[in-house]
Amino acid sequence: MQRLRVSKFDLRALVLLLVVPISSAASRDLKLISLVPPGAQIVAGINASPQQGQPDNFVLITHDNIVDLQDLFALSGADGSRIFQQVVFVAIANSAGLLSEHSLLVSGHFDQPHIYKSAVEGGATVSYYRGIPVLVIQPFKREKGAFNDVRWLAVLDSNVLVFGTIATLRRELDRYIARSPADSPLLNRLARLRAKDQTWCLLSPLTRNDEIRGLLATLDPKLANIAQSEGSLELGIHYGWRVEFEYEVTVDSTVPGRAMLQSLVHSPVASENRASLLPGLKIIGDENAERSVIEVSMSRYRAWLAEVSRYGERCLLH
């Protein structure tokens, strides 16, 4: 049995300081990527197991994604054989641009009968969607008032688990039943990241979320504009002797888009923002895209995570 634990970090924050034994994998799991609905505003993942002494991971995801993961740990806790190989988080915006739909996709091994039996004994019910048995999960008592989404959980062929809001799960289960290939634009964006990145995030335009914007600002204040622009962002992180951050920002070809990109390159870093991790940008790009790979020391990375944790606590208070 592999042991799972989440670091002590307030779940209202948007940073997941996660230590999960995830089996090493050379590439991202296409079984999971093929389930992601086209047009998702945030797709993020954890690809490889933390090495001995590796620091906590940084993943740019929403509060609802974090709640999903915490609740999945509780719902699957009775399965002593569970194995997490890769985890993909999905957040989808509504017509107003708010990230109201969410799910997580996990590859590995799951004992469906055991998980379902335990969940039903805990108050869940079983329904069926196009012949697939799904658990209907009401909000946990500890979450009511702050989190009110009814969610579905389904184990597919014992090696894929999906969990999230009903509208999102319907789309993902439809793709599973149809054996849909992975969305080409999503694959193209993933291909721009390095294979060795252990955590990654794809942030698309039309994402209205103040907390996501605040987290981007902790990386670099200039990146915060991405969350309120027509730009997209690919972010990947590799943990070694030093921590390597890579990101690529792409904007549309309009004059305002190019102006925003130029401001990313040339505007000064706000001195009062001590959490900024990416000064001294070494950017290579074209007219509509800018790319940077930056290394930071492990001590600096850990200090930055502590600042991000304090940012999360401030979000909770507000």
Side-chain angles (χ1 to χ4, degrees), residues 123-144:
T125 59
V126 178
S127 184
Y128 286 84
Y129 179 72
R130 299 185 63 184
I132 296 176
V134 298
L135 287 170
V136 181
I137 309 296
Q138 300 295 327
F140 287 17
K141 288 183 180 179
R142 66 172 181 265
E143 299 162 354
K144 286 189 175 177

Side-chain angles (χ1 to χ4, degrees), residues 55 274-277 296-310:
R274 298 177 182 175
S276 177
L277 191 68
V296 299
S297 68
M298 192 62 70
S299 60
R300 185 177 182 189
Y301 175 75
R302 287 194 169 102
W304 173 75
L305 280 185
E307 178 62 29
V308 169
S309 179
R310 289 191 289 271

Side-chain angles (χ1 to χ4, degrees), residues 131-182:
I132 296 176
V134 298
L135 287 170
V136 181
I137 309 296
Q138 300 295 327
F140 287 17
K141 288 183 180 179
R142 66 172 181 265
E143 299 162 354
K144 286 189 175 177
F147 182 90
N148 300 303
D149 293 340
V150 178
R151 291 161 293 171
W152 282 357
L153 184 154
V155 175
L156 311 174
D157 301 326
S158 80
N159 59 14
V160 172
L161 184 150
V162 295
F163 179 44
T165 51
I166 295 174
T168 303
L169 261 287
R170 283 196 178 110
R171 295 176 66 186
E172 291 167 352
L173 292 175
D174 286 342
R175 294 182 64 79
Y176 170 77
I177 292 169
R179 299 184 182 275
S180 300

Side-chain angles (χ1 to χ4, degrees), residues 66-285:
I66 296 173
V67 173
D68 287 342
L69 183 66
Q70 177 74 2
D71 290 351
L72 175 60
F73 287 158
L75 291 165
S76 64
D79 178 9
S81 67
R82 67 180 177 181
I83 297 173
F84 283 45
Q85 291 180 326
Q86 295 192 21
V87 183
V88 171
F89 303 89
V90 178
I92 300 175
N94 60 19
S95 59
L98 302 176
L99 297 172
S100 59
E101 298 292 332
H102 49 92
S103 70
L104 62 83
L105 316 171
V106 189
S107 63
H109 178 271
F110 307 97
D111 184 342
Q112 188 221 51
H114 206 156
I115 291 174
Y116 280 38
K117 179 177 182 294
S118 176
V120 169
E121 290 173 349
T125 59
V126 178
S127 184
Y128 286 84
Y129 179 72
R130 299 185 63 184
I132 296 176
V134 298
L135 287 170
V136 181
I137 309 296
Q138 300 295 327
F140 287 17
K141 288 183 180 179
R142 66 172 181 265
E143 299 162 354
K144 286 189 175 177
F147 182 90
N148 300 303
D149 293 340
V150 178
R151 291 161 293 171
W152 282 357
L153 184 154
V155 175
L156 311 174
D157 301 326
S158 80
N159 59 14
V160 172
L161 184 150
V162 295
F163 179 44
T165 51
I166 295 174
T168 303
L169 261 287
R170 283 196 178 110
R171 295 176 66 186
E172 291 167 352
L173 292 175
D174 286 342
R175 294 182 64 79
Y176 170 77
I177 292 169
R179 299 184 182 275
S180 300
D183 182 49
S184 293
L186 176 59
L187 286 178
N188 290 338
R189 294 185 69 189
L190 284 172
R192 302 179 79 87
L193 295 171
R194 300 171 302 178
K196 69 177 184 177
D197 288 336
Q198 291 155 281
T199 66
W200 50 271
C201 174
L202 310 180
L203 181 65
S204 298
L206 304 178
T207 303
R208 288 179 49 198
N209 187 295
D210 289 340
E211 291 168 304
I212 288 289
R213 188 174 186 273
L215 282 177
L216 287 173
T218 68
L219 284 166
D220 189 288
K222 293 169 285 187
L223 289 178
N225 294 329
I226 299 300
Q228 292 186 335
S229 73
E230 293 301 310
S232 61
L233 171 70
E234 289 90 40
L235 170 69
I237 306 175
H238 173 71
Y239 304 93
W241 180 62
R242 294 169 67 84
V243 180
E244 297 178 11
F245 283 78
E246 66 156 336
Y247 65 84
E248 180 165 311
V249 176
T250 305
V251 299
D252 61 28
S253 59
T254 64
V255 171
R258 289 196 296 272
M260 190 278 289
L261 197 59
Q262 289 301 310
S263 72
L264 174 65
V265 178
H266 298 298
S267 64
V269 175
S271 59
E272 67 274 11
N273 190 330
R274 298 177 182 175
S276 177
L277 191 68
L278 307 179
L281 301 182
K282 296 176 286 186
I283 295 178
I284 302 172

